[in-house]
Amino acid sequence: MSARKQGDGQPEDGGATAGKRLKIAKFSEDPEKKGLSRRLKDAEISLPIVYGTIAFYLGRKASESQSHKWTVYVRGATNEDLSAVIKRVVFQLHPSFNNPTRVMEAPPFELSECGWGEFEIAISLFFHPDVCDKQLDLYHHLKLYPEDESGPQSTKKPVVVESYDEIVFPDPSEAFYARVQNNPAVIVPRMPAGFNISAPVAPENTSERERGDTKDHPLSQWFMNFSEADELLKLAAARQQPFMEMIYEN
Amino acid sequence: MDAKDILGLPKNQLPIPQEKKSRPPKEPQRKPDGISREVYALTGGLAPLMPSVDVSQLKRRPPSDEKVTWQWLPFTNSARKDDLQLFHWVRVVNGVPPTGDYAFAKYNKSANIIKYTDEEYEKYLTDPAWTKEETDQLFDLCERFDLRFIVIADRFPSSRTVEELKDRYYSVSRALLSARAPPADITGHPLVKPYNISQEVERKRALSMVLSQTKQQERKDTEVLAEAKRITESRMAAKGPEESELPAVANIGPDNSQRAITGDAVTPSTAMPSSAIAASSTLMADNASTLASLRMLRVYLRTYALDQMVQAASASAGLRTIKRVEQTLQELGVNLKPKVPTKAVCAEHLELRKEILTLLNLQKQLQYKEAEGTSFQDSPYSETPGTPKRAPRGDQDRPFMPDPLGFGGDRFGKRDQKRKAPGRTSEAAQSPSQSKRPRKMKASDI
C-alpha cells in the first residue's frame, strides 16, 4: 500500500476546494501533496446515489420522432448535493441525438431530452482530483413505455426507473476525508477518538450559489424511496428461517 | 454475379482472387530460359528465392573481337615456402597471359600466435601446473593446427582436457600482451577477455547432459517448466492481495480448528462438519483476496463489489448449485440483487448466500452418507428391520416423493442420533423448500 501512497503526485488545489466549490479550481503552483498522499487505510468513504430516468408521454403534443420527454439524472440518495465529490457527469446518448455526449459540470446532474426510442445511456462520473482520478461508468436503460400496455399512456404518470447504488472509495485521501467529513451526502466512517483532521474553511453561504441538492426538485415527487430497513428486515427474516438453522446443528 | 449485383456488393472482389490463384499454378510450368528443362527440374520445379545464376549471362558469348586460346603454362604459388613450379592450363586472351599471383594464395591464412622467449617465460609465464616443455609443445601445436584445440588436445603428448589447454593458452597470451604493450593499448585486443575455465567445463557438461537426455526426460522437463511458469504467473497475480490475505487466513485458522474440535465432540460423524468448515475457510480466503483486489481499485460501486464477493463465494460451487442458491433466495422472498445495496444490506446478503451454500452442501453430503448407509445395511445387521425396504433407497431410484412427512420421517428415523431436533426441522423445513426437496433426490442431481 505504501507504493500507492508515493505514487500520488497530483497537485492539490487546497484553497479552491475549501468551499466545496467545483467550478474552475485553481491549481496552486506549489503542490501540497501531503493531503493527497496520506491515505486512510482500512477506511472507506461511500456516497449513496440514485440514478435513473423519468419519462413523460407527451400526449397531444407528441409527434412520430418526439413522443416522450424524458430526463436522466444522478442524484444523492437523500437528495443532498453531490458536487463535493462529483466534479462532472457525462451522459452518452444514442448517436442519433445531436451531440450525443452531454457534459454536466454543475449539479443537479441531469439532462432532459425528447425522443421516441429506448436505449442504453452511459453515465460517466468524474470526481474531484483529491477524490479519485479514475472515472466510474454506470449504465442505465431508458424506459419510455410502461409495463402494462393496457390503454393509452397517460401524460400525468411518468415511467420512472431508478437504481440505487453506492460509490465506494477505499483508502480515501486525507484531504478528501477532511473535506467531506461533515457533508450530509457522504457516508464517512467513524474514526477513533483523537483522530482529528481539521476541516477546511467553512463553506460559503449556500444561497450565493445555485442549489445543488435535489430536495425541491420539480420531479422529486416521482423519486422512489429506497429504504434500507426494508431490505434488512427481509434478509434477517430469511436468515432466521427454521430450516436455515440446520446448518448450525451439526 | 447477379446476386451480388442485387446486394450491391462490389464486383471487383471476385477477379482479384481469381487472378492470384491463376498465377501460382502457372509459375512452375514455365521453364526459365537459359537453363535446360532437366536441369531446372533438379531444383524441384520452383525457382529459387534468390537467383543464384544470372540467367541472362548464361547465353552470353564472349565478344568476338577477343581471341582466346588455352595454354599449358607454369606457375608458382606464393603461399608455398619452397619454390615448387607446377603447370596448369591458362586462358590466354589475345596472346597475353594473365598476371597476378596464384589465385588461391590469398586463402593461406594462419592464426597469429604470440611467441615468447625463454626469459619472458621465466618472468611472466611460469605456472605450477605447467612445465615449460608442455607450454612449448602447446604453442607449437597451436601454430601448426591454427588454434584448433580439439586437434591439439588429441595430439598433445600428455593428456590434458581441451579446456585446460585453452585456459593455458589464453592466460599465457594475455600475460604476454600485458607485459609487452603498455596497459592502455591492450584493452581493445580480443585476447584480453578472460577465459573462465570452470564455467566452460560446467557449460560443456550441461550441454552434453542435454544432448544425452532420453525422450522421456525431455518430456518431463517441459512439463516441469510449464508448471513452474504457471506457478510464477499465478504468484505474480496473487502477489498484491497475498499480504492482506495472509493475516486474514491466519486469523481464521485457529477459529476453524476450534469449531472443528467441538463439532467432533458432539457428533460421531466427523467428516461432515469438518468438510463444511473447510469449505467455509476457503470461502474466507476467497473473500480476503476479493477484498484486496477491490481495494486496488480507486473507486467502485457497491453492487460491483457485491457481485465480486458473491462470485468468489460461489467459486467452488457448480452452476446447478448456484441456481439452487438463487431459487432458495427467491423462495425466501429476498431479491437476487438487493434493491437498496447499502453496506449493511450487502453484508447481510452475502452472509445469507453463504449460509444457503453451506446448507446445500450439507444436505448433499447428508444424502451421500445416507446412500452409503443404505448400501451397508443390506448385509449383516439390520436393527431396524423395516427400514431397508421403506427407505428412499440411496435416493437413487425414487424419482419423486409426494409424501412430505414420509421423507422426513424416514430420514430422521435412521439418523435419530445425529439430529438434535428432528421433528421441528422436518415440519418447518418442508414448507419453504417443499418443491425443492424431491427434485434433489434424483440421481442426476447428485
PDB file of all heavy atoms in Angstrom, chain B residues 192-207:
ATOM      1  N   VAL B 192      42.149 -10.089 -24.404  1.00  0.00           N
ATOM      2  CA  VAL B 192      42.114  -9.580 -23.032  1.00  0.00           C
ATOM      3  C   VAL B 192      40.960 -10.183 -22.242  1.00  0.00           C
ATOM      4  O   VAL B 192      41.000 -10.309 -21.035  1.00  0.00           O
ATOM      5  CB  VAL B 192      42.019  -8.039 -23.043  1.00  0.00           C
ATOM      6  CG1 VAL B 192      41.925  -7.498 -21.647  1.00  0.00           C
ATOM      7  CG2 VAL B 192      43.233  -7.490 -23.726  1.00  0.00           C
ATOM      8  N   LYS B 193      39.926 -10.578 -22.938  1.00  0.00           N
ATOM      9  CA  LYS B 193      38.778 -11.136 -22.207  1.00  0.00           C
ATOM     10  C   LYS B 193      39.156 -12.451 -21.563  1.00  0.00           C
ATOM     11  O   LYS B 193      39.673 -13.347 -22.211  1.00  0.00           O
ATOM     12  CB  LYS B 193      37.626 -11.402 -23.180  1.00  0.00           C
ATOM     13  CG  LYS B 193      36.837 -10.186 -23.485  1.00  0.00           C
ATOM     14  CD  LYS B 193      35.367 -10.511 -23.662  1.00  0.00           C
ATOM     15  CE  LYS B 193      34.667  -9.374 -24.367  1.00  0.00           C
ATOM     16  NZ  LYS B 193      34.718  -9.465 -25.798  1.00  0.00           N
ATOM     17  N   PRO B 194      38.909 -12.567 -20.293  1.00  0.00           N
ATOM     18  CA  PRO B 194      39.383 -13.758 -19.599  1.00  0.00           C
ATOM     19  C   PRO B 194      38.582 -14.994 -19.979  1.00  0.00           C
ATOM     20  O   PRO B 194      37.406 -14.925 -20.258  1.00  0.00           O
ATOM     21  CB  PRO B 194      39.169 -13.408 -18.112  1.00  0.00           C
ATOM     22  CG  PRO B 194      38.129 -12.365 -18.120  1.00  0.00           C
ATOM     23  CD  PRO B 194      38.234 -11.628 -19.406  1.00  0.00           C
ATOM     24  N   TYR B 195      39.292 -16.069 -19.958  1.00  0.00           N
ATOM     25  CA  TYR B 195      38.689 -17.368 -20.265  1.00  0.00           C
ATOM     26  C   TYR B 195      38.380 -18.045 -18.955  1.00  0.00           C
ATOM     27  O   TYR B 195      39.254 -18.363 -18.169  1.00  0.00           O
ATOM     28  CB  TYR B 195      39.675 -18.181 -21.093  1.00  0.00           C
ATOM     29  CG  TYR B 195      39.192 -19.567 -21.414  1.00  0.00           C
ATOM     30  CD1 TYR B 195      38.204 -19.769 -22.365  1.00  0.00           C
ATOM     31  CD2 TYR B 195      39.741 -20.665 -20.783  1.00  0.00           C
ATOM     32  CE1 TYR B 195      37.771 -21.036 -22.665  1.00  0.00           C
ATOM     33  CE2 TYR B 195      39.311 -21.942 -21.077  1.00  0.00           C
ATOM     34  CZ  TYR B 195      38.334 -22.120 -22.022  1.00  0.00           C
ATOM     35  OH  TYR B 195      37.913 -23.374 -22.325  1.00  0.00           O
ATOM     36  N   ASN B 196      37.143 -18.237 -18.720  1.00  0.00           N
ATOM     37  CA  ASN B 196      36.724 -18.779 -17.438  1.00  0.00           C
ATOM     38  C   ASN B 196      36.645 -20.291 -17.530  1.00  0.00           C
ATOM     39  O   ASN B 196      35.673 -20.832 -18.043  1.00  0.00           O
ATOM     40  CB  ASN B 196      35.361 -18.177 -17.076  1.00  0.00           C
ATOM     41  CG  ASN B 196      34.955 -18.533 -15.678  1.00  0.00           C
ATOM     42  OD1 ASN B 196      35.527 -19.422 -15.074  1.00  0.00           O
ATOM     43  ND2 ASN B 196      33.978 -17.824 -15.161  1.00  0.00           N
ATOM     44  N   ILE B 197      37.659 -20.963 -17.024  1.00  0.00           N
ATOM     45  CA  ILE B 197      37.751 -22.393 -17.284  1.00  0.00           C
ATOM     46  C   ILE B 197      36.658 -23.167 -16.568  1.00  0.00           C
ATOM     47  O   ILE B 197      36.056 -24.075 -17.128  1.00  0.00           O
ATOM     48  CB  ILE B 197      39.157 -22.925 -16.917  1.00  0.00           C
ATOM     49  CG1 ILE B 197      39.212 -24.420 -17.198  1.00  0.00           C
ATOM     50  CG2 ILE B 197      39.477 -22.662 -15.461  1.00  0.00           C
ATOM     51  CD1 ILE B 197      40.595 -24.960 -17.251  1.00  0.00           C
ATOM     52  N   SER B 198      36.380 -22.799 -15.339  1.00  0.00           N
ATOM     53  CA  SER B 198      35.395 -23.579 -14.602  1.00  0.00           C
ATOM     54  C   SER B 198      34.017 -23.443 -15.243  1.00  0.00           C
ATOM     55  O   SER B 198      33.268 -24.406 -15.378  1.00  0.00           O
ATOM     56  CB  SER B 198      35.347 -23.122 -13.151  1.00  0.00           C
ATOM     57  OG  SER B 198      35.152 -21.736 -13.123  1.00  0.00           O
ATOM     58  N   GLN B 199      33.742 -22.231 -15.693  1.00  0.00           N
ATOM     59  CA  GLN B 199      32.440 -22.029 -16.311  1.00  0.00           C
ATOM     60  C   GLN B 199      32.323 -22.812 -17.609  1.00  0.00           C
ATOM     61  O   GLN B 199      31.287 -23.383 -17.922  1.00  0.00           O
ATOM     62  CB  GLN B 199      32.258 -20.540 -16.584  1.00  0.00           C
ATOM     63  CG  GLN B 199      30.875 -20.174 -17.033  1.00  0.00           C
ATOM     64  CD  GLN B 199      30.822 -18.762 -17.545  1.00  0.00           C
ATOM     65  OE1 GLN B 199      31.848 -18.127 -17.759  1.00  0.00           O
ATOM     66  NE2 GLN B 199      29.630 -18.277 -17.757  1.00  0.00           N
ATOM     67  N   GLU B 200      33.430 -22.864 -18.323  1.00  0.00           N
ATOM     68  CA  GLU B 200      33.419 -23.585 -19.585  1.00  0.00           C
ATOM     69  C   GLU B 200      33.191 -25.068 -19.358  1.00  0.00           C
ATOM     70  O   GLU B 200      32.427 -25.720 -20.069  1.00  0.00           O
ATOM     71  CB  GLU B 200      34.754 -23.386 -20.318  1.00  0.00           C
ATOM     72  CG  GLU B 200      34.861 -22.031 -20.975  1.00  0.00           C
ATOM     73  CD  GLU B 200      33.860 -21.876 -22.097  1.00  0.00           C
ATOM     74  OE1 GLU B 200      33.865 -22.723 -23.008  1.00  0.00           O
ATOM     75  OE2 GLU B 200      33.065 -20.940 -22.042  1.00  0.00           O
ATOM     76  N   VAL B 201      33.868 -25.587 -18.345  1.00  0.00           N
ATOM     77  CA  VAL B 201      33.704 -27.015 -18.049  1.00  0.00           C
ATOM     78  C   VAL B 201      32.247 -27.309 -17.706  1.00  0.00           C
ATOM     79  O   VAL B 201      31.645 -28.252 -18.206  1.00  0.00           O
ATOM     80  CB  VAL B 201      34.634 -27.414 -16.884  1.00  0.00           C
ATOM     81  CG1 VAL B 201      34.291 -28.799 -16.398  1.00  0.00           C
ATOM     82  CG2 VAL B 201      36.081 -27.343 -17.311  1.00  0.00           C
ATOM     83  N   GLU B 202      31.727 -26.455 -16.866  1.00  0.00           N
ATOM     84  CA  GLU B 202      30.333 -26.608 -16.458  1.00  0.00           C
ATOM     85  C   GLU B 202      29.390 -26.558 -17.641  1.00  0.00           C
ATOM     86  O   GLU B 202      28.497 -27.386 -17.795  1.00  0.00           O
ATOM     87  CB  GLU B 202      30.015 -25.453 -15.496  1.00  0.00           C
ATOM     88  CG  GLU B 202      29.153 -25.754 -14.320  1.00  0.00           C
ATOM     89  CD  GLU B 202      29.044 -27.176 -13.907  1.00  0.00           C
ATOM     90  OE1 GLU B 202      30.036 -27.746 -13.443  1.00  0.00           O
ATOM     91  OE2 GLU B 202      27.950 -27.748 -14.087  1.00  0.00           O
ATOM     92  N   ARG B 203      29.634 -25.595 -18.475  1.00  0.00           N
ATOM     93  CA  ARG B 203      28.765 -25.384 -19.629  1.00  0.00           C
ATOM     94  C   ARG B 203      28.762 -26.602 -20.531  1.00  0.00           C
ATOM     95  O   ARG B 203      27.731 -27.081 -20.985  1.00  0.00           O
ATOM     96  CB  ARG B 203      29.236 -24.144 -20.379  1.00  0.00           C
ATOM     97  CG  ARG B 203      28.443 -23.793 -21.607  1.00  0.00           C
ATOM     98  CD  ARG B 203      28.962 -22.516 -22.230  1.00  0.00           C
ATOM     99  NE  ARG B 203      30.262 -22.719 -22.846  1.00  0.00           N
ATOM    100  CZ  ARG B 203      30.440 -23.049 -24.110  1.00  0.00           C
ATOM    101  NH1 ARG B 203      29.416 -23.250 -24.887  1.00  0.00           N
ATOM    102  NH2 ARG B 203      31.655 -23.206 -24.582  1.00  0.00           N
ATOM    103  N   LYS B 204      29.963 -27.130 -20.756  1.00  0.00           N
ATOM    104  CA  LYS B 204      30.035 -28.263 -21.669  1.00  0.00           C
ATOM    105  C   LYS B 204      29.406 -29.493 -21.062  1.00  0.00           C
ATOM    106  O   LYS B 204      28.767 -30.295 -21.750  1.00  0.00           O
ATOM    107  CB  LYS B 204      31.485 -28.533 -22.045  1.00  0.00           C
ATOM    108  CG  LYS B 204      31.994 -27.442 -22.939  1.00  0.00           C
ATOM    109  CD  LYS B 204      33.328 -27.753 -23.554  1.00  0.00           C
ATOM    110  CE  LYS B 204      33.730 -26.586 -24.430  1.00  0.00           C
ATOM    111  NZ  LYS B 204      35.128 -26.616 -24.766  1.00  0.00           N
ATOM    112  N   ARG B 205      29.543 -29.610 -19.774  1.00  0.00           N
ATOM    113  CA  ARG B 205      28.917 -30.741 -19.116  1.00  0.00           C
ATOM    114  C   ARG B 205      27.400 -30.653 -19.230  1.00  0.00           C
ATOM    115  O   ARG B 205      26.719 -31.632 -19.539  1.00  0.00           O
ATOM    116  CB  ARG B 205      29.334 -30.777 -17.641  1.00  0.00           C
ATOM    117  CG  ARG B 205      28.992 -32.056 -16.930  1.00  0.00           C
ATOM    118  CD  ARG B 205      29.506 -32.018 -15.525  1.00  0.00           C
ATOM    119  NE  ARG B 205      28.814 -31.014 -14.742  1.00  0.00           N
ATOM    120  CZ  ARG B 205      27.653 -31.234 -14.145  1.00  0.00           C
ATOM    121  NH1 ARG B 205      27.078 -32.405 -14.234  1.00  0.00           N
ATOM    122  NH2 ARG B 205      27.084 -30.269 -13.471  1.00  0.00           N
ATOM    123  N   ALA B 206      26.911 -29.466 -19.012  1.00  0.00           N
ATOM    124  CA  ALA B 206      25.458 -29.281 -19.106  1.00  0.00           C
ATOM    125  C   ALA B 206      24.962 -29.581 -20.510  1.00  0.00           C
ATOM    126  O   ALA B 206      23.941 -30.236 -20.703  1.00  0.00           O
ATOM    127  CB  ALA B 206      25.099 -27.850 -18.707  1.00  0.00           C
ATOM    128  N   LEU B 207      25.726 -29.113 -21.490  1.00  0.00           N
ATOM    129  CA  LEU B 207      25.317 -29.361 -22.869  1.00  0.00           C
ATOM    130  C   LEU B 207      25.297 -30.855 -23.172  1.00  0.00           C
ATOM    131  O   LEU B 207      24.383 -31.364 -23.827  1.00  0.00           O
ATOM    132  CB  LEU B 207      26.288 -28.668 -23.824  1.00  0.00           C
ATOM    133  CG  LEU B 207      26.015 -27.184 -24.073  1.00  0.00           C
ATOM    134  CD1 LEU B 207      27.109 -26.608 -24.933  1.00  0.00           C
ATOM    135  CD2 LEU B 207      24.677 -26.995 -24.737  1.00  0.00           C
TER     136      LEU B 207
END
